Amino acid sequence: MRVLVVTAVPAERDAVTAAGPLPVQLPLPGGAELHRVHPDGGVVFDVLAAGVGPAAAAAGTAGALTAAALGGAPYDLVVSAGIAGGFAPGAPLGSLVVSDEITAADLGAQTPDGFVPVTELGFGTVAHRAPEELVRRVVRATGALRGVVLTVSTITGSAERAVELVARHPGALAEAMEGFGVAEAAVAHGVPVLELRAVSNAVGPRDRAAWRIGEALAALTDAFRALPPALTLPSPEVLR
Ligand SMILES: O=C(O)c1cccc(C(=O)CC[C@H]2O[C@@H](n3cnc4c(=O)[nH]cnc43)[C@H](O)[C@@H]2O)c1
């Protein structure tokens, strides 16, 4: 089972690879590098720190998927992973969230009647679902909370904005900046996609003193230690 894991920054990448033995570094065209670990159960994690935001995430994911396909060893699954803001009270600090619907929250237009997503403008898409059976297995294997992880290009900085997002997405548990970009690249390559986030802060007014990035990174390592049995699939149907 070959899994491409895409994070934003090297600290998140290193938290993922800490789940396995010492990583091997593999170059990608363009200068990026994959960190490869073999945790167990025949699973291989190739971990890429693609950069912050949906555009960098999509570009990095597409490059890694293309390189693998051209090399004759395509990936079976793509996972967008990292830290995230949690929507209180559903996703407390240090909790793990697996997204059953990876959703772009600010892809659309501002109008006098409020925000209108591109789907209501007549084009594009704003959400990609993760394979249902896989989400269930990940919840069982890692204890993750199941819900929507929103992708934003602008980090929420007020309680009012947080309330607006949850009103529009009642199932939202977390907010991050890369999942939808990773998902767009995965879907373009016909590869199933999952998003797995550890909550480092509360979505809302900036309070960096309240951040718990270290705890969130440790939770990410624990999640990827627990993940392989959920990915050892008896049949490809689980990925559909
Ligand atoms: O400077 C701030 O107040 C601030 C508040 C929240 C997040 C940031 C970041 O620079 C984090 C960006 C990075 O981490 C992910 N992340 C973590 N928490 C959040 C969040 O509350 N909203 C959106 N993204 C978040 C994100 O995926 C990025 O990779 C700064």
Side-chain angles (χ1 to χ4, degrees):
M1 177 87 181
R2 288 173 42 78
V3 182
L4 174 65
V5 183
V6 184
T7 70
V9 297
E12 293 166 319
R13 176 199 65 202
D14 297 345
V16 171
T17 57
L22 201 62
V24 173
Q25 298 183 15
L26 304 166
L28 280 172
E33 62 183 19
L34 293 171
H35 287 205
R36 174 171 292 173
V37 289
H38 297 257
D40 65 21
V43 173
V44 178
F45 290 145
D46 280 355
V47 193
L48 170 68
V52 172
T61 304
L65 288 170
T66 301
L70 291 178
Y75 290 106
D76 302 295
L77 176 68
V78 182
V79 181
S80 173
I83 63 175
F87 288 100
L93 296 192
S95 63
L96 193 67
V97 177
V98 60
S99 184
D100 50 18
E101 191 165 66
I102 300 170
T103 302
D106 51 16
L107 183 57
Q110 285 296 350
T111 76
D113 299 323
F115 175 79
V116 175
V118 286
T119 44
E120 291 180 28
L121 298 175
F123 47 86
T125 184
V126 293
H128 294 293
R129 291 202 68 82
E132 176 60 29
E133 177 55 26
L134 185 57
V135 169
R136 290 180 184 157
R137 284 167 176 254
V138 170
V139 168
R140 280 198 299 271
T142 66
L145 302 168
R146 171 185 177 147
V148 172
V149 176
L150 300 178
T151 298
V152 297
S153 291
T154 303
I155 295 162
T156 294
S158 70
E160 293 75 16
R161 175 63 175 162
V163 167
E164 177 190 351
L165 286 172
V166 172
R168 198 175 326 126
H169 303 278
L173 284 181
E175 167 189 291
M177 299 177 76
E178 294 80 27
F180 188 75
V182 171
E184 284 280 76
V187 167
H189 280 257
V191 181
V193 61
L194 201 66
E195 184 167 11
L196 196 53
R197 294 278 173 174
V199 176
S200 54
N201 58 282
V203 174
R206 293 180 62 159
D207 178 6
R208 302 196 77 156
W211 281 29
R212 294 295 178 269
I213 292 181
E215 288 172 29
L217 293 175
L220 208 55
T221 301
D222 291 344
F224 277 86
R225 279 202 188 99
L227 202 53
L231 304 179
T232 310
L233 312 175
S235 65
E237 282 67 37
V238 175
L239 283 178
R240 294 197 178 98

